[in-house]
Amino acid sequence: MENNKQLSYRNKIILAPMVKINTLPMRLLALDYGADIVYTEELIDYKLLNCHRKVNDTLNSVDFIDKSDGTVVFRTCPREKPFVVLQIGTNDPSRAAMVAKLVYVEYDLTGVRLEYDVAGIDINMGCPKGFSLKGGMGAALLNQSDKACAILSAVISTVSIPVTCKIRILRDINETVSLCKKLAATGIAAIGIHGRRIHERPIHENRNNVIKAVSEALEIPVIANGGSKDIKVYEDIEKFKIVTGCSSVMIARSAEKNCSIFKRDGKLEVPAVIRDYLHHAINYDSVAANTKYCVQNMMGNVHETELGRTFLETSTLQEICDLWQLGDYCREKQKKMNMLRFEERDLACNDQKRIKPNPVDETQDDINSLKCMYIRSLYPMPEDLPKTKLLNWAKTHRKPLPKYHTEQFEKLFKSIVTFDNKKYSSLFWEKNKRCAEQGSAIVCLYFLNVYDMEYLKINGILG
Ligand SMILES: Cc1cc2nc3c(=O)[nH]c(=O)nc-3n(C[C@H](O)[C@H](O)[C@H](O)COP(=O)(O)O)c2cc1C
Ligand SMILES: *[C@@H]1O[C@H](CO)[C@@H](O)[C@H](O)[C@H]1NC(C)=O
Ligand SMILES: *[C@@H]1O[C@H](CO)[C@@H](O)[C@H](O)[C@H]1NC(C)=O
Ligand SMILES: *[C@@H]1O[C@H](CO)[C@@H](O)[C@H](O)[C@H]1NC(C)=O
Ligand SMILES: *[C@@H]1O[C@H](CO)[C@@H](O)[C@H](O)[C@H]1NC(C)=O
């Protein structure tokens, strides 16, 4: 199935895969600055296979959501679709092929047109971490070339987008070259080579000559990797490409620290890069912990500066954004997103009520109610969670502990908390029991004057 819009790996500058770093904001940032292709972080096959694919109309994204805990495992968007490569960690051909099917959607009614959520798929054959090796993934595949080839062949025969792999070099040049030839014979579109052996660390020299030997021996594009120590400015990328004789270059650590390395017209100062990064994090509602981790890597030694020490204290996206004068933008965006969620849920509720009217009487007058939404990201600390707060309030005031009763209607939940002989409930139907209980606790805390109306409004909790 030849497709003329297929991603080409020739003459490209690429953001290399990095666990926890290469979530959507970093990939978009790299594209903004001029990267031609962006890899995701390595995602383990099991993890992806436990996800369901969901189109998110609020964010205009496609989300792969963990069925067990509801977390977003992989979020992607139209802007990156022609350039994003999904990297998989796997040790099994059929599981790898199943993951490939997950990001492949056949949506044309005639069944002719094939669509993918990503532009390419890469198999990680270079990760030297214990968990990968023990699991037979990553670099463990380098000495099991039959299995490595079987994985590539299985994915290639499942999809019509390009498939690649990323390896480390072996002890011997010739051995490395023959491994690469064998892998190339499966029909992969390109191969990424990190010029270090499995047990070598970043302090060891990158063996550019080995990459060069492979590049000369193969017909498919070879992507050189491992040069970050010598890549300080844009021109160094070209130098690395020349010494390795490669078609393309893939950069990890230099981009992690200062993503503007991809800018042809020179790097930006780190604070500017952080601001650009945070814009994407806000727009795609990134998890605060992940945002903090990535920003911290850009800041370097956080313990040495006043800003750094303040930064370490932050726990919400808003708090992080405040430090780069983006707090208001963040609050505004989050509020808008919450409003859309209220609307989405109202529509879902109405749909369900049409099927089966009046599930529960929402206007029972012995219930103190308010329309409040439980927004997980507002409570980073366990003690801040509404239920915990209410429990602690009860203990301090020597009251009997709150009791929750949850009702389910179709796929929506609503909880009533009984506390001190009164009943409280949120008029907002939640997606699960846990959230519904938190919602009723919020309403109860409001009537106990722990939360005031202003707080509920500012944070977009009130519908
Ligand atoms: C924080 C971090 C995470 C990484 N995660 C991955 C990964 O998920 N998959 C992978 O193939 N390599 C991973 N790597 C390795 C890089 O992709 C790259 O091969 C290595 O850092 C050498 O390139 P560099 O000199 O440009 O940094 C990671 C490296 C770093 C620093
Ligand atoms: C889309 O993502 C936002 C932010 O994470 C979330 O609040 C919203 O519920 C999601 N919408 C859908 C339809 O999944
Ligand atoms: C591959 O290497 C691992 C350790 O690095 C070793 O345990 C395993 O036996 C090797 N497999 C083959 C087929 O050589
Ligand atoms: C590697 O291959 C080259 C060319 O095929 C050959 O001349 C050389 O002797 C080989 N080296 C080793 C160490 O096997
Ligand atoms: C990022 O680039 C800027 C501008 O050249 C420089 O001041 C800063 O030190 C760089 N940071 C890192 C970590 O490379």
Side-chain angles (χ1 to χ4, degrees):
M1 245 166 293
E2 220 23 68
N3 177 344
N4 53 11
K5 282 200 302 190
Q6 287 246 329
L7 182 65
S8 151
Y9 292 81
R10 273 189 209 283
N11 209 9
K12 296 291 189 287
I13 297 175
I14 302 172
L15 174 69
M18 285 182 278
V19 165
K20 294 214 277 183
I21 302 291
N22 288 28
T23 47
L24 183 56
M26 185 62 91
R27 301 196 301 267
L28 291 175
L29 189 64
L31 289 174
D32 288 347
Y33 290 151
D36 300 304
I37 299 176
V38 291
Y39 278 52
T40 67
E41 59 179 328
E42 175 193 51
L43 293 166
I44 305 298
D45 54 6
Y46 277 117
K47 185 96 181 153
L48 280 168
L49 292 173
N50 192 37
C51 289
H52 68 265
R53 178 184 184 278
K54 191 171 181 208
V55 174
N56 188 317
D57 293 323
T58 309
L59 299 177
N60 192 19
S61 65
V62 174
D63 297 344
F64 291 84
I65 306 204
D66 194 306
K67 286 177 192 158
S68 330
D69 60 12
T71 54
V72 178
V73 171
F74 173 45
R75 172 167 281 163
T76 182
C77 68
R79 155 95 165 92
E80 70 165 357
K81 190 173 148 182
F83 316 108
V84 65
V85 173
L86 172 68
Q87 190 189 57
I88 317 176
T90 187
N91 68 3
D92 180 74
S94 58
R95 267 203 317 279
M98 286 197 291
V99 171
K101 279 190 187 143
L102 198 68
V103 292
Y104 158 81
V105 196
E106 204 170 350
Y107 75 83
D108 191 296
L109 290 176
T110 62
V112 175
R113 174 114 176 262
L114 303 174
E115 268 303 319
Y116 294 85
D117 291 318
V118 295
I121 294 178
D122 183 76
I123 307 295
N124 185 350
M125 300 188 181
C127 183
K129 297 258 164 68
F131 97 96
S132 279
L133 297 181
K134 276 194 217 103
M137 301 182 290
L141 291 168
L142 295 176
N143 70 352
Q144 306 170 60
S145 58
D146 287 339
K147 184 185 264 182
C149 287
I151 291 171
L152 293 172
S153 299
V155 179
I156 290 169
S157 63
T158 306
V159 296
S160 60
I161 47 175
V163 177
T164 55
C165 63
K166 176 166 172 284
I167 67 164
R168 281 178 173 243
I169 60 167
L170 302 176
R171 297 183 68 83
D172 172 276
I173 294 198
N174 289 5
E175 234 185 287
T176 310
V177 171
S178 36
L179 171 69
C180 290
K181 281 186 172 166
K182 186 170 172 178
L183 295 169
T186 60
I188 50 174
I191 185 165
I193 306 186
H194 179 185
R196 292 189 178 84
R197 296 172 181 164
I198 299 181
H199 298 292
E200 288 181 335
R201 299 282 83 104
I203 48 151
H204 295 104
E205 275 308 300
N206 200 54
R207 295 169 203 259
N208 296 339
N209 61 319
V210 180
I211 301 179
K212 189 158 198 231
V214 174
S215 186
E216 281 162 2
L218 297 191
E219 279 171 24
I220 56 168
V222 172
I223 306 163
N225 175 238
S228 270
K229 195 163 65 67
D230 299 317
I231 299 178
K232 302 255 190 299
V233 293
Y234 187 82
E235 290 68 31
D236 296 332
I237 301 175
E238 189 60 28
K239 287 185 196 152
F240 184 55
K241 188 175 159 181
I242 291 167
V243 296
T244 54
C246 279
S247 235
S248 294
V249 168
M250 181 185 259
I251 306 170
R253 286 163 301 152
S254 290
E256 174 192 22
K257 297 204 173 62
N258 190 335
C259 190
S260 65
I261 187 72
F262 293 111
K263 273 174 80 72
R264 269 158 232 268
D265 53 354
K267 284 200 284 186
L268 301 175
E269 295 297 330
V270 173
V273 178
I274 292 177
R275 282 179 62 93
D276 289 345
Y277 180 86
L278 288 175
H279 263 110
H280 290 304
I282 295 166
N283 292 345
Y284 286 98
D285 197 33
S286 287
V287 174
N290 181 250
T291 307
K292 190 170 176 180
Y293 176 77
C294 293
V295 171
Q296 190 164 341
N297 279 309
M298 297 182 214
M299 290 177 78
N301 200 337
V302 285
H303 299 279
E304 278 172 6
T305 61
E306 184 65 37
L307 177 67
R309 286 186 290 268
T310 316
F311 170 77
L312 284 178
E313 300 291 313
T314 59
S315 51
T316 65
L317 196 56
Q318 293 182 3
E319 285 168 0
I320 297 170
C321 290
D322 274 327
L323 299 181
W324 282 273
Q325 291 74 51
L326 285 169
D328 288 341
Y329 178 67
C330 183
R331 275 180 283 277
E332 205 50 47
K333 270 276 173 187
Q334 293 194 334
K335 232 168 135 176
K336 275 200 193 127
M337 272 186 243
N338 291 336
M339 287 307 143
L340 283 167
R341 277 177 67 192
F342 272 118
E343 285 169 22
E344 265 172 25
R345 195 60 51 81
D346 283 349
L347 282 176
C349 264
N350 289 341
D351 272 357
Q352 298 193 358
K353 277 183 197 153
R354 229 177 293 130
I355 303 164
K356 187 178 161 192
N358 251 352
V360 275
D361 190 357
E362 292 195 337
T363 53
Q364 283 178 60
D365 26 284
D366 61 327
I367 300 182
N368 295 296
S369 42
L370 207 60
K371 190 171 186 179
C372 290
M373 172 167 46
Y374 171 60
I375 304 165
R376 180 68 189 89
S377 61
L378 289 177
Y379 317 97
M381 300 299 166
E383 65 270 24
D384 294 334
L385 289 170
K387 274 182 74 179
T388 316
K389 229 179 163 77
L390 179 57
L391 191 68
N392 290 336
W393 196 94
K395 286 177 185 161
T396 348
H397 294 79
R398 301 181 179 284
K399 300 279 185 192
L401 302 185
K403 284 205 175 63
Y404 295 86
H405 166 75
T406 302
E407 295 171 16
Q408 177 174 3
F409 178 59
E410 301 279 318
K411 285 177 176 164
L412 297 175
F413 297 78
K414 179 183 164 118
S415 187
I416 297 168
V417 59
T418 308
F419 182 63
D420 206 13
N421 296 319
K422 290 198 185 77
K423 288 178 177 177
Y424 305 88
S425 181
S426 170
L427 296 173
F428 183 74
W429 288 76
E430 292 279 1
K431 271 184 307 192
N432 60 46
K433 179 167 179 271
R434 191 174 47 87
C435 293
E437 290 181 350
Q438 298 286 5
S440 63
I442 293 171
V443 176
C444 182
L445 287 164
Y446 165 75
F447 281 100
L448 295 172
N449 289 323
V450 177
Y451 295 146
D452 61 20
M453 192 49 89
E454 194 56 21
Y455 167 83
L456 299 182
K457 278 186 185 160
I458 284 181
N459 288 292
I461 298 169
L462 195 70

